[in-house]
Amino acid sequence: MKLSIDSGRTSFLHLLGPNAVSQFYVVSVASAACTLLTACTQSDKEQQAKRPNILLILADDLGYSDIGCYGGEVQTPNLDRLAANGLRFSRFYNAGRSCPTRASLLTGLYPHQAGIGRMTFEQNLPGYRGTMTHNGVTIAEVLRSAGYQTGMIGKWHVAETPLREDQRLWLAHQVRHEEFAPKENYPTHRGFEDFYGTIYGVVDYFDPFSLVNGEEPVDEVPSNYYSTIALTDSAISYINRYSQSENPFFMYLSYHSPHWPLHALEEDIKKYEDVYKVGWEAIRDARYERMKKLGIFKDYEEFLTDRRSKSEWEANPDSAWDARAMAVHAAMIDRMDQGIGRVIRALEESGELDNTLILFMSDNGCSPEICQNYSPGENDRPDMLRDGAPMIYPKNKEALPGPEITYASLGPEWANVANMPFRFWKAKMYEGGICTPAIAHWPDGIKVDKGLITASTCHIIDVMATVLDLTKAKYPSRYNGNEIQPYEGISIVPILKEGRREGHSVIGFEHFNEKALMSFDGWKIIQPGRKAAWELYDLNTDRTERNDVAAEHPDRLKQMITDYEAWATRTLVYPAPD
């Protein structure tokens, strides 16, 4: 446009004659300031456009080796593509469980500082409010103040969700209430302009409870509804809209997958119906070999893996059911990866992919829970479908998982495989609970070699610091009249640029009296229960925590316990509920 206008002016002046040229420039001096101002405005817009978009993608209960680029047999070509063209983290930590991790991710605070030291129930202690504190700000609140468009899709699970007398009927959509939690704690009141997703933590994938669009309950869904597809559709619609603006966007895509119940589309299950019939040991061993070839742990040619199978697969009377359960788990991950592929294509088609930092991670390790043994009709677990048909909780594995009518989970044996090579699982402070896959992809911003696997220790609290570093947004000392705590994380931008950074002096963990502390030099202490003895591990030589060396290093153990107590006191772990 500018070139055509200038050409028009030149042609016009030549028509008037040579004297008109000097007359034009005399007259145009008066408009020079306006022209300069316009140029500055355009420069500001260009600078605004250069700020990266931020896309956080969070999986739910995804194990360390579940996806292909971490050694898994599940088909995840889209996540593998992000990893091959970006970088992977071999030591990326979370808070051990869904709601505490989500609170930390959003605020850059440790879970107790963010108000959710345990679950989403008020326990009348500063670190255990059951909802995110207003003495912290979310990434969305900070970035919205800095001119970003902000949208969230998926699982919220950081607001207090008190139970109602008609909870059972409510879960089955038999009664309606306007609020699933106090609306002041909805995403739309914590910095997100747009929200489509669920307030509670667990859903029926085919007909989710607590589904909300903005702040309005979604009373009905189509007959062919499936959560992962619907969340992906919403993410794509947000991207298409946000890309029309000159302002960058921040989007938080929080999939429910692969959290129980084991609900998947039959077409996806079919791809894996024979894969897991070989059993726990064979799948675990195959993952181990792929993980070595991928170089996930470059410092170890061989490493010990944790084997917690209670029985040999050949002697397992429920092998058909168990193979099907893992096939459904894989199908859920597969469908999530398909969705991520669609999101990537939307970014490409809108011209936003190169300038978008994508961070993919999981909220905790795979779950060992046997949810079919839980009491149906309580908390967030329905006991019937919308039409009144009873939900089957196959305590005796009498009904195969997958369809909506069943409500089941993997159990500890498959969870151990999913978290391979680490010990334990979700809610534990061993590596299997708190160390999960993490991928960064940003064509315009990552300067290290494509496909790098970094061993730098990072934590989910680092996301806020990273976002502030990249966007130059201002972190407030006060927000909406509240004093704001300083964030705890350290930016990972140096890793994106140079492959390394100065890390944390210590990183602490606590959840339901499971305690741990890691030091900057790779040592870790764990107390797996209030009355249990402290254990000590050197992760530099024992990445899978197989050799407790507390007795050999009493002085180090004592000092790290002292460091833990100081951290726990500062971060509101204390006082703790009984």
Side-chain angles (χ1 to χ4, degrees):
M1 181 68 74
K2 185 175 185 293
L3 287 174
S4 63
I5 291 173
D6 288 347
S7 298
R9 284 177 175 174
T10 302
S11 300
F12 175 68
L13 291 172
H14 280 287
L15 285 172
L16 292 178
N19 291 336
V21 176
S22 59
Q23 292 172 0
F24 171 78
Y25 283 111
V26 170
V27 173
S28 66
V29 167
S31 64
C34 180
T35 303
L36 180 61
L37 180 61
T38 301
C40 290
T41 302
Q42 290 173 341
S43 177
D44 289 345
K45 288 181 178 179
E46 290 172 0
Q47 186 64 32
Q48 181 88 335
K50 289 180 181 178
R51 293 193 295 172
N53 306 310
I54 311 289
L55 170 58
L56 302 183
I57 305 177
L58 189 67
D60 196 343
D61 289 10
L62 181 76
Y64 192 87
S65 61
D66 267 338
I67 59 178
C69 54
Y70 278 79
E73 68 291 327
V74 183
Q75 297 174 35
T76 55
N78 297 296
L79 287 170
D80 298 349
R81 171 190 168 188
L82 294 180
N85 291 285
L87 64 89
R88 278 163 287 176
F89 298 78
S90 64
R91 296 177 183 242
F92 197 96
Y93 289 89
N94 53 67
R97 201 170 196 149
S98 176
C99 36
T101 291
R102 292 160 198 275
S104 278
L105 171 63
L106 286 164
T107 64
L109 302 170
Y110 281 107
H112 306 78
Q113 293 173 304
I116 306 185
R118 292 193 177 173
M119 304 301 288
T120 53
F121 299 103
E122 171 68 77
Q123 295 188 275
N124 299 306
L125 290 170
Y128 305 87
R129 293 298 185 187
T131 195
M132 280 197 305
T133 178
H134 290 278
N135 295 114
V137 286
T138 69
I139 296 172
E141 287 170 327
V142 172
L143 290 188
R144 189 172 183 182
S145 298
Y148 269 69
Q149 304 169 90
T150 57
M152 186 198 163
I153 304 100
K155 176 175 171 175
W156 183 233
H157 203 203
V158 286
E160 184 188 0
T161 49
L163 304 180
R164 296 178 179 269
E165 290 185 1
D166 57 0
Q167 188 79 7
R168 175 176 168 271
L169 296 175
W170 194 25
L171 289 170
H173 311 282
Q174 304 293 311
V175 297
R176 185 184 192 275
H177 295 289
E178 184 66 24
E179 291 186 340
F180 297 100
K183 284 190 176 179
E184 66 181 25
N185 296 321
Y186 276 28
T188 47
H189 289 267
R190 297 309 307 260
F192 290 101
E193 301 169 75
D194 299 298
F195 172 60
Y196 175 81
T198 58
I199 302 301
Y200 271 60
V202 178
V203 301
D204 171 344
Y205 284 74
F206 298 98
D207 192 5
F209 173 72
S210 78
L211 186 62
V212 168
N213 188 12
E215 296 180 14
E216 296 300 314
V218 177
D219 294 327
E220 294 186 18
V221 295
S223 58
N224 63 344
Y225 188 94
Y226 185 69
S227 165
T228 305
I229 295 175
L231 300 183
T232 299
D233 289 344
S234 293
I236 291 169
S237 70
Y238 287 7
I239 289 169
N240 290 339
R241 174 156 51 90
Y242 293 159
S243 64
Q244 301 303 309
S245 170
E246 294 176 338
N247 294 334
F249 64 81
F250 165 62
M251 192 163 73
Y252 173 34
L253 174 53
S254 177
Y255 283 110
H256 300 108
S257 178
H259 193 292
W260 50 264
L262 291 167
H263 282 169
L265 302 176
E266 196 61 37
E267 65 191 84
D268 295 329
I269 300 171
K270 190 173 182 60
K271 293 164 67 174
Y272 301 95
E273 61 184 356
D274 295 324
V275 172
Y276 299 102
K277 292 179 180 179
V278 295
W280 305 305
E281 294 85 357
I283 296 297
R284 180 173 48 234
D285 291 346
R287 289 189 178 196
Y288 173 77
E289 294 301 326
R290 282 191 295 270
M291 189 171 281
K292 285 197 297 182
K293 290 179 181 178
L294 288 168
I296 301 297
F297 302 108
K298 292 184 182 296
D299 297 336
Y300 305 90
E301 291 184 5
E302 302 287 337
F303 50 86
L304 293 173
T305 64
D306 192 38
R307 297 171 180 267
R308 296 191 168 265
S309 304
K310 293 181 179 179
S311 62
E312 295 296 323
W313 182 260
E314 291 74 13
N316 177 17
D318 300 312
S319 60
W321 193 97
D322 287 329
R324 165 78 176 196
M326 191 61 177
V328 178
H329 176 80
M332 295 166 79
I333 297 168
D334 188 310
R335 179 57 64 169
M336 177 177 65
D337 183 80
Q338 292 178 51
I340 291 170
R342 294 176 56 212
V343 169
I344 293 170
R345 285 193 294 277
L347 290 169
E348 287 178 315
E349 291 168 0
S350 64
E352 299 288 351
L353 181 63
D354 288 352
N355 192 40
T356 299
L357 171 61
I358 301 175
L359 291 175
F360 172 84
M361 58 200 76
S362 178
D363 61 350
N364 46 250
C366 187
S367 171
E369 295 163 278
I370 305 176
C371 74
Q372 52 266 37
N373 290 339
Y374 292 161
S375 298
E378 294 182 1
N379 192 14
D380 48 13
R381 302 181 295 271
D383 67 349
M384 59 180 165
L385 303 184
R386 183 184 291 264
D387 62 5
M391 185 79 78
I392 300 171
Y393 283 63
K395 294 183 179 181
N396 299 314
K397 300 186 175 180
E398 65 275 17
L400 291 176
E404 182 184 11
I405 198 71
T406 63
Y407 207 90
S409 57
L410 286 178
E413 288 86 1
W414 279 127
N416 174 227
V417 174
N419 297 326
M420 213 288 298
F422 297 135
R423 296 181 69 190
F424 290 107
W425 33 62
K426 172 182 177 178
K428 290 286 190 179
M429 300 300 104
Y430 293 95
E431 298 290 279
I434 59 175
C435 190
T436 39
I439 301 169
H441 180 275
W442 181 21
D444 282 354
I446 294 179
K447 303 304 181 183
V448 296
D449 292 341
K450 290 181 179 180
L452 174 74
I453 300 172
T454 176
S456 295
T457 300
C458 303
H459 189 280
I460 207 127
I461 56 175
D462 295 336
V463 175
M464 170 69 87
T466 303
V467 168
L468 293 171
D469 191 0
L470 289 175
T471 64
K472 308 306 177 188
K474 184 178 179 181
Y475 187 85
S477 58
R478 293 186 63 83
Y479 187 84
N480 285 347
N482 298 302
E483 295 285 343
I484 302 301
Q485 305 167 75
Y487 62 88
E488 293 279 345
I490 301 173
S491 173
I492 67 168
V493 170
I495 300 174
L496 306 181
K497 305 289 188 182
E498 303 167 9
R500 58 185 179 84
R501 71 161 190 189
E502 290 290 325
H504 298 266
S505 57
V506 297
I507 299 175
F509 305 85
E510 193 279 337
H511 187 61
F512 281 98
N513 297 309
E514 291 267 345
K515 304 173 182 178
L517 185 94
M518 296 173 54
S519 64
F520 73 95
D521 57 353
W523 289 74
K524 178 180 175 183
I525 57 170
I526 303 172
Q527 187 184 40
R530 180 181 294 167
K531 297 181 180 180
W534 282 95
E535 301 168 5
L536 175 66
Y537 299 96
D538 180 2
L539 299 183
N540 300 298
T541 60
D542 181 20
R543 187 72 179 84
T544 55
E545 300 169 316
R546 304 290 294 168
N547 185 26
D548 177 9
V549 293
E552 291 93 320
H553 300 277
D555 292 340
R556 179 180 284 273
L557 177 66
K558 182 179 179 181
Q559 181 59 55
M560 291 189 70
I561 293 172
T562 299
D563 293 342
Y564 173 84
E565 294 298 329
W567 170 83
T569 299
R570 181 180 66 79
T571 60
L572 304 182
V573 175
Y574 301 135
D578 294 333

